[in-house]
């Protein structure tokens, strides 16, 4: 009985400290997201490593489930966003793989994807190749392409797996 009481007191103290920590951080002007100039990442190198079939990328806007937009980020790594392919790369991909008209089933609905809303191409006509998507062994990658803008929209669970 004494052990349960001590555990309860410890848990209660920890939960009481979280709002105080958050309030102090907020009052100091920090949101936990100071490392990025905008609300998304713009580096292309991590995406080129995660999606080697896309080749070099010229521009990117992406977010991660491990971005600190809230106090308890996800233990799973999910990346989501847009990237621009090098000129002519989408034409090469469409010659090498079968594509169908298919857009993402949903918008950016996860808590960490909020900054991506309204960031994609105007009136995209998404196409997709199941050959370029990956699934299995705890990871999943979905890629959608817009021919008019040479843009790829991606969503990947454990993309480096």
């Amino acid at each position: 009985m004494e052990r349960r009481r001590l555990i309860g007191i410890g848990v209660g103290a920890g939960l009481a400290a979280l709002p105080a920590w958050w309030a102090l951080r907020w009052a100091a002007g920090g949101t936990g997201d100071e490392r990025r100039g905008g609300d998304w990442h713009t580096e292309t190198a991590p995406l080129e490593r995660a999606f080697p079939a896309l080749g070099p990328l010229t521009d990117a806007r992406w977010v991660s489930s491990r971005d600190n937009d809230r106090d308890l980020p996800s233990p799973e790594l999910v990346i989501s966003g847009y990237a621009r392919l090098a000129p002519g790369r989408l034409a090469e991909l469409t010659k090498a793989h079968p594509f169908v008209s298919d857009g993402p089933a949903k918008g950016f609905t996860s808590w960490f994807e909020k900054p991506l809303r309204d960031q994609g191409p105007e009136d995209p006509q998404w196409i997709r190749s199941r050959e370029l998507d990956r699934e299995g062994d705890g990871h999943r990658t979905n890629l959608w392409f817009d021919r008019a803008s040479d843009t790829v929209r991606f969503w990947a669970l454990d993309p480096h797996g």
Side-chain angles (χ1 to χ4, degrees), residues 30-47:
T31 63
D33 204 23
E34 294 85 9
R35 64 179 175 69
R36 292 183 282 159
D39 290 333
W40 50 76
H41 300 271
T42 58
E43 313 91 283
T44 58
L47 302 178

Side-chain angles (χ1 to χ4, degrees), residues 48-101:
E48 290 167 353
R49 284 190 303 273
F51 314 122
L54 300 181
L57 301 170
T58 62
D59 184 37
R61 289 185 181 182
W62 59 280
V63 293
S64 161
S65 63
R66 293 193 182 152
D67 293 340
N68 195 12
D69 189 8
R70 63 182 189 175
D71 292 332
L72 301 172
S74 172
E76 294 181 326
L77 174 61
V78 176
I79 61 173
S80 180
Y82 296 103
R84 178 107 11 137
L85 301 172
R89 182 63 184 148
L90 185 52
E92 293 172 11
L93 290 171
T94 57
K95 286 180 185 175
H97 304 279
F99 277 79
V100 296
S101 294

Side-chain angles (χ1 to χ4, degrees), residues 76-79 134 137-141 156-161:
E76 294 181 326
L77 174 61
V78 176
I79 61 173
R134 293 186 310 171
D137 298 329
H139 62 270
R140 188 171 94 207
T141 299
L157 169 65
D158 190 18
H160 303 289

